Amino acid sequence: PRSIWLSRHGESEFNLHGQIGGDANLSARGELYAEKLPALVRESVGDDRPLTVWTSTLKRTIATARYLPGEYNQLQWKALDELDSGVCDCMTYSEIAEQYPEDFAARDEDKYNYRYRGGESYRDVVIRLEPIIMELERSENILIVTHQAVLRCIYAYFMKKTQEESPWMAVPLHTLIKLTPRAYGTEEKRYDAQI
Ligand code: F6P
């Protein structure tokens, strides 16, 4: 049966410092994940069929995918870039709470609909992901390396989670998720790279 593989990028320098957004490089641990990803993918695919790899246009997803086999086609989608945090881009959550306390509270109140000043909401991301979802529905053997918020939206779609809960879902770093849609629902397997 057809499956979809999902992964966040390896840990970035911004993840280390608690900063959101940006276009940071991978940290040393993130590099390790990039190095381990080909074996993790091989283990989860189970045979020699090549996958097509979709990344965002940001350095951390491209770097995470760069050791995957050369026969895997790779495609970069702007629509897979992380949720745009507008004026809060590159800040930490405590900096946001200090500089934009009302925004910080509003986001906590309704995380799905909250739109960063000059940026996006989860609802906006779901809309820009529509072409991705359509393409996914008619493709086979796709591995997507993207970002936390984007991954939550794609995951929620296939797992039929409600929009309200998706922004709060745990999507750990350094874990490959394999989703296999079946008649009774989507089957999920997680492969922890143990980094
Ligand atoms: O911290 C990593 C990150 O991908 C940020 O770039 C992004 O803004 C955030 O996670 C999304 O998660 P949340 O919606 O929980 O803030």
Side-chain angles (χ1 to χ4, degrees), residues 13-135:
E13 295 286 348
F14 266 29
N15 292 145
L16 264 182
H17 302 121
Q19 290 167 273
I20 67 168
D23 191 13
N25 290 312
L26 296 181
S27 70
R29 283 181 72 223
E31 279 292 334
L32 215 57
Y33 180 63
E35 288 165 23
K36 280 192 160 193
L37 189 58
L40 208 59
V41 168
R42 214 175 309 120
E43 178 195 340
S44 77
V45 173
D47 55 43
D48 298 334
R49 90 189 103 135
L51 304 185
T52 299
V53 184
W54 295 354
T55 66
S56 74
T57 66
L58 298 168
K59 287 189 290 189
R60 55 196 184 276
T61 63
I62 296 167
T64 301
R66 78 186 187 284
Y67 299 118
L68 290 164
E71 66 262 36
Y72 287 18
N73 284 326
Q74 296 207 14
L75 208 72
Q76 295 169 16
W77 294 79
K78 185 101 177 81
L80 288 174
D81 286 359
E82 183 53 307
L83 184 147
D84 181 351
S85 40
V87 295
C88 295
D89 195 46
C90 304
M91 291 170 74
T92 64
Y93 292 114
S94 55
E95 286 168 348
I96 298 170
E98 202 170 292
Q99 290 186 41
Y100 300 101
E102 281 161 26
D103 288 73
F104 195 72
R107 186 161 201 258
D108 196 50
E109 199 55 48
D110 186 359
K111 197 174 174 187
Y112 184 74
N113 288 299
Y114 171 79
R115 178 182 282 151
Y116 280 103
R117 296 169 191 238
E120 291 179 302
S121 64
Y122 272 86
R123 181 184 291 282
D124 294 330
V125 172
V126 165
I127 292 165
R128 77 153 134 101
L129 283 173
E130 269 170 24
I132 298 273
I133 300 281
M134 277 178 60
E135 193 63 24

Side-chain angles (χ1 to χ4, degrees), residues 144-158:
I144 302 182
V145 182
T146 181
H147 307 266
Q148 172 154 259
V150 174
L151 207 64
R152 282 174 173 151
C153 297
I154 297 173
Y155 179 88
Y157 173 83
F158 284 102

